[in-house]
Amino acid sequence: MIQVSGRPFQPDDSWKADTTETTIIEALQKTPNLYSFSSEKELMFEIKSRKNIIVSAKEMNNGESSFATFRTARCNPEYWQLTTAGGFLLRRQVSPADAIRDIFTNSAQYKFECATACVINFYHGLLKTMGASSFNTLFPNLYLYSWHTDDDLGLYSFFANHYVPGDVVYFNNPDVNPSTSWFRGVNAIAIGDNEFFGHGFSIRTSEKMIEGLNTKRKPDSQQSAYLSGLITRPSFQSLSRFSGGRTIHKTRPFLVHHNKTSVSYRQYLYELSYKPKY
């Protein structure tokens, strides 16, 4: 259910929502959770951001970037420094917005795993929504590695029996064959109509996603892969309140190089909880 300024939201004739935006609004309305917004502007920011994340996922799907483990990751050295851990560190004097765009415009030069892909799509979708000036101010020191993100992205996870287009869901494969451990799961962006984009799996239905993971199980496995109830998303409302052009204090978020491809955000937080923070 959607609530704006303390009242149930009902779009009127002034709302010119396209098909994707309408799907997002309907999904928010149908959830058992209350989505409360202080204004229609705040609501529209989330709808536009979710739509743009979906658009970005489709662009990545149609591009030439490929799936890779951290050991074989690759990036355009003009914009990013490839670290020994397989992360992409923004080069000095490079615009964060330009560097994120380059992943899509020069996609053949990039190889990364599915968690990193989700983070890239979050950033790219927000860049489309807020514009380069605000994006550069809010995210000046990008480092792309697994689920490591700028604190102002406000990434969080929770378990639910529903998702909204633009969310990241996790397909778990508990009996993965150890020889192909990177198929332990797939972080995938919900596109709508039971379709998901998982980097390395392209856009497919949940049934086809599970079918693909099941081919990577142990020979004696009795447990199928499945769509878990884990949902990951940015803090859209906090992001909508950012006013471009002002100076903000930035802190360096904790980082852990875990070298485990295709982990969920919850697993990444677990790695953070017991690994040294640096």
Side-chain angles (χ1 to χ4, degrees), residues 134-175:
S134 293
F135 184 88
N136 289 339
T137 301
L138 197 57
F139 306 117
N141 304 306
L142 293 179
Y143 179 54
L144 305 176
Y145 176 87
S146 186
W147 282 109
H148 176 76
T149 61
D150 187 294
D151 285 342
D152 283 312
L153 188 63
L155 215 61
Y156 67 102
S157 281
F158 60 97
F159 285 97
N161 59 3
H162 68 277
Y163 57 84
V164 178
D167 284 342
V168 166
V169 301
Y170 191 69
F171 290 87
N172 192 26
N173 191 15
D175 275 354

Side-chain angles (χ1 to χ4, degrees), residues 23-247:
T23 300
I24 293 168
I25 293 171
E26 290 176 349
L28 289 170
Q29 291 280 41
K30 290 177 181 178
T31 66
N33 294 353
L34 174 64
Y35 286 86
S36 182
F37 301 88
S38 62
S39 65
E40 287 193 4
K41 182 179 178 181
E42 192 175 89
L43 168 61
M44 180 54 71
F45 181 90
E46 176 159 342
I47 293 170
K48 292 291 186 184
S49 296
R50 287 181 176 277
K51 173 189 172 181
N52 286 330
I53 289 166
I54 293 168
V55 170
S56 294
K58 291 179 178 179
E59 288 181 18
M60 184 175 285
N61 180 68
N62 294 331
E64 298 180 75
S65 62
S66 54
F67 180 90
T69 63
F70 294 113
R71 184 176 61 83
T72 57
R74 189 175 69 185
C75 56
N76 184 349
E78 182 178 347
Y79 293 89
W80 305 94
Q81 175 188 340
L82 180 63
T83 66
T84 56
F88 305 163
L89 180 63
L90 184 71
R91 288 197 175 276
R92 292 178 180 270
Q93 309 305 317
V94 170
S95 158
D98 289 345
I100 290 293
R101 290 192 189 108
D102 187 70
I103 300 173
F104 294 81
T105 56
N106 292 305
S107 57
Q109 297 191 47
Y110 290 87
K111 297 173 69 174
F112 43 82
E113 52 82 63
C114 65
T116 307
C118 291
V119 170
I120 291 169
N121 282 302
F122 281 156
Y123 281 135
H124 194 235
L126 287 166
L127 170 58
K128 289 173 179 287
T129 305
M130 63 174 49
S133 179
S134 293
F135 184 88
N136 289 339
T137 301
L138 197 57
F139 306 117
N141 304 306
L142 293 179
Y143 179 54
L144 305 176
Y145 176 87
S146 186
W147 282 109
H148 176 76
T149 61
D150 187 294
D151 285 342
D152 283 312
L153 188 63
L155 215 61
Y156 67 102
S157 281
F158 60 97
F159 285 97
N161 59 3
H162 68 277
Y163 57 84
V164 178
D167 284 342
V168 166
V169 301
Y170 191 69
F171 290 87
N172 192 26
N173 191 15
D175 275 354
V176 64
N177 192 319
S179 65
T180 53
S181 60
W182 50 91
F183 288 108
R184 61 171 52 87
V186 179
N187 293 286
I189 294 174
I191 301 296
D193 296 325
N194 191 38
E195 288 193 322
F196 305 86
F197 168 70
H199 189 54
F201 278 73
S202 71
I203 294 176
R204 58 177 72 185
T205 64
S206 59
E207 292 80 10
K208 290 295 182 181
M209 197 74 75
I210 292 168
E211 183 180 303
L213 284 173
N214 279 341
T215 66
K216 306 299 181 181
R217 289 156 55 194
K218 300 174 185 175
D220 59 347
S221 169
Q222 299 298 311
Q223 184 172 1
S224 171
Y226 61 93
L227 174 59
S228 74
L230 185 64
I231 311 297
T232 303
R233 61 176 61 148
S235 297
F236 293 111
Q237 292 186 41
S238 296
L239 289 162
S240 73
R241 296 172 190 140
F242 171 73
S243 177
R246 62 186 174 90
T247 302

